[in-house]
Amino acid sequence: QVQLVESGGGLVQPGGSLRLSCAASRFTLDDDTIAWFRQAPGKEREGVSYISSSDGSTYYADSVKGRFTMSRDNAKNTVYLQMNSLRPEDTAVYYCAADSSTVVNGLEWYEYDYWGQGTQVTVSS
């Protein structure tokens, strides 16, 4: 059983920044597809970003493109989501997800087998 643990959430002012971390166990990040999802109250889970296991490329939802950046530190088995220019509509619980196989639709929740517990991000003035 792999485990994913998110951290770094909190309350931030509009226009501010946060960096989320996802620490993984029992697998190598280079061999896995890793993604970030978010879910606001009463809304469906939304794919935010993922990093491909095939070529290492990162992909982003249109709603965060240009503001959010994924990165990884293989030595620490950790991936990050740098979030800049945050908006109130970014408020959600953010989840880290992973899959050991190549995914077809990386921003779809059903592609992933392993999930973290989530970390709350609140953007408010």
Side-chain angles (χ1 to χ4, degrees), residues 21 34-35 45 61 66 68 82 96 98 100 119:
S21 299
I34 311 295
R45 190 169 300 178
F68 291 10
Q82 179 66 46
C96 180
S100 60
T119 185

Side-chain angles (χ1 to χ4, degrees), residues 7-30:
S7 62
L11 193 157
V12 65
Q13 300 292 312
S17 298
L18 283 175
R19 189 176 75 159
L20 305 183
S21 299
C22 174
S25 65
R26 300 183 182 270
F27 65 93
T28 302
L29 292 182
D30 275 345

Side-chain angles (χ1 to χ4, degrees), residues 81-111:
L81 183 67
Q82 179 66 46
M83 305 185 295
N84 299 325
S85 302
L86 284 162
R87 305 165 180 168
E89 53 263 44
D90 295 318
T91 296
V93 177
Y94 283 71
Y95 298 91
C96 180
D99 196 272
S100 60
S101 63
T102 301
V103 303
V104 177
N105 301 298
L107 295 179
E108 298 291 343
W109 65 269
Y110 53 77
E111 294 279 13

